[in-house]
Every structure is written in C-alpha cells, then in structure tokens.
Amino acid sequence: MPDPHPSHRQRAHTVRLEWGPVGAAAIAPGCGVAVVVDVLSFTTSVTLAVERGATVLPYRWRDPSAEEYAAAHDAALAGGRRAVLAQGTPSLSPASLVGLAGVERLVLPSPNGSTISLGLADSGASVVAACLRNAAAVADWLAPRAGEGLAVVAAGERWPDGSLRPAVEDLWGAGAVLAGLAERGVAGFSPEAELAASAYRSVAGRLPELLPACASGLELVDGGFAEDVRLAAELDASPVVPVLTGAGFTRG
C-alpha cells in the first residue's frame, strides 16, 4: 500500500482523527495514545465485557484460526452475532454480554474494530476502546495524556465491494470523546477532529432517537438486534476505560 501524503498524517496537530485501518496507519505514528471507536458494536461490546471482569482479546477473523488462538490463550471464543441469537452465548452482540459472568478471557473477532486495534498497537501507541457508553470516562483518562499525541480512529463499516463506509455512529462516538476533551481544556485539534466534536454536539441528547434511525442502527434493528442499539446509545453509562495491555483489553 502506498504511503499517504505527509499532510494526511495531521502531524501539525496534537489531537487527530481519521477513518478505518488505512486512516489509523496514517495518523497513529508519533502518537502516544490511540483510540478506536466502533460503536455498533466492537467497542461497545469490549466495554461491557471488561466492565464484567473479562479480558477481551481482539482477533481479526472468526475462522478456525480464531478457535486455535482462543485455545492457546485459555479463552472463550465469542460467536458471530447472528449465529448465537437464540443461544445466550457471548458474541459480538452487546446484549449477549450484559449477563456475562465467570469468563476471565474472551476472544472477540471483528474485522473492523479488532483489526484497527491490533494495527494501532503495532504503531507503538497505547490503545483505548471508546464508545458512547464510556465517552466521558475515556475523556477523563485521555486528558492528562493529550500531550503525548492522540489519534482517534472511527472504524466505519464496509460497503458490499469492501470499500470503507463512513458510519455516523462512529463519528458521534469519536466526537463524544473529543468534545469531552475540549471541555477538559485539551487543545490542538485537527480540523477533522473538530468536525467530529461538532457533529456530536449537534446530536447530544438525541442519541436514543437517532442511533436506531441511522443506517447501521436500522440494519441491526431490522435484524432483530434492537437491544444492541439501545445499549450502544446509553451515553456515559460506564466508568470503564478498556486499555489494550499485551494481547487483551483490560480495565485501565
């Protein structure tokens, strides 16, 4: 993959924002902390699981290698969201994790959020999982570390041809963290980060209404996962900041 133009790295700014794995690779170098935002549903699921005492191990794909990885780490393997709808087993569905108990380690495959998390870790940054549920807690955790450089990555989704689909829920999730940083006196935002913060401010207070109505939310509601969307819309419901330590996200 060709290197991005130097201007796309946003190096003139302490707080940066970009989209997807390619954007993550562009802006993370030189930053001390990187934040992955995948509201529907990777980072919401990570937050819920870590809050319930599990270490969450991100993995790119749910295939036979994921089973081997889980076995090697003495971990449970989360199932695909739709495959476990009626089984009550842990999956990428946030609703499946509300009652999680007795699971010390959980492998959570996700071609979006997990892939970005692992790529950010390879950059040398400390990696944090953020969503609407823990936006204020993440802003509190990040504010004293802002001088190290912050890369905020909105995961987005994929069109059928594999190209990136910017997803408004991730813009709002990233913006909630960024707006919180601004409220805590952090400066040095790139225009891209400023835009995300402004986008969040424009919908603050309406998330329970708007999240089910956006394209990704509608897809989940139509598929029988309205509870996942409801949980994802609960702004600042969690005090947990999942930080990627070694192979897994734990409470920071």
Side-chain angles (χ1 to χ4, degrees):
M1 181 182 301
D3 288 338
H5 191 280
S7 61
H8 296 166
R9 296 189 181 277
Q10 302 178 32
R11 284 178 172 160
H13 307 284
T14 305
V15 183
R16 311 166 187 174
L17 177 129
E18 258 302 343
W19 287 88
V22 176
I27 66 169
C31 287
V33 184
V35 183
V36 57
V37 182
D38 187 355
V39 169
L40 295 173
S41 298
F42 175 75
T43 52
T44 298
S45 295
V46 169
T47 301
L48 283 162
V50 170
E51 188 173 340
R52 284 148 181 78
T55 296
V56 178
L57 286 70
Y59 199 75
R60 287 180 170 88
W61 305 106
R62 195 181 192 286
D63 58 14
S65 69
E67 298 175 6
E68 297 169 5
Y69 183 78
H73 288 81
D74 191 24
L77 175 62
R81 189 196 307 261
R82 300 184 188 283
V84 298
L85 181 61
Q87 298 176 18
T89 56
S91 78
L92 190 59
S93 163
S96 75
L97 301 171
V98 170
L100 187 70
V103 176
E104 293 185 7
R105 286 173 293 279
L106 179 68
V107 174
L108 190 61
S110 162
N112 261 1
S114 283
T115 298
I116 292 169
S117 299
L118 295 170
L120 290 171
D122 288 343
S123 77
S126 298
V127 181
V128 174
C131 59
L132 292 165
R133 292 184 64 87
N134 70 345
V138 170
D140 281 337
W141 192 91
L142 291 174
R145 298 168 171 84
E148 303 173 23
L150 304 180
V152 180
V153 180
E157 296 292 344
R158 295 286 168 182
W159 290 110
D161 68 358
S163 61
L164 176 71
R165 176 173 70 82
V168 72
E169 69 274 9
D170 295 335
L171 182 66
W172 294 336
V177 173
L178 291 162
L181 287 171
E183 290 170 1
R184 289 157 178 79
V186 175
F189 286 27
S190 70
E192 291 81 0
E194 290 276 10
L195 173 65
S198 295
Y200 166 72
R201 293 185 190 107
S202 74
V203 300
R206 299 178 60 204
L207 292 169
E209 166 197 352
L210 293 177
L211 199 62
C214 74
S216 301
L218 279 172
E219 179 183 357
L220 290 179
V221 171
D222 289 347
F225 295 96
E227 182 65 6
D228 286 355
V229 182
R230 187 193 69 78
L231 288 165
E234 289 186 332
L235 183 66
D236 297 333
S238 176
V240 166
V241 179
V243 178
L244 188 59
T245 305
F249 283 101
T250 61
R251 189 185 289 249

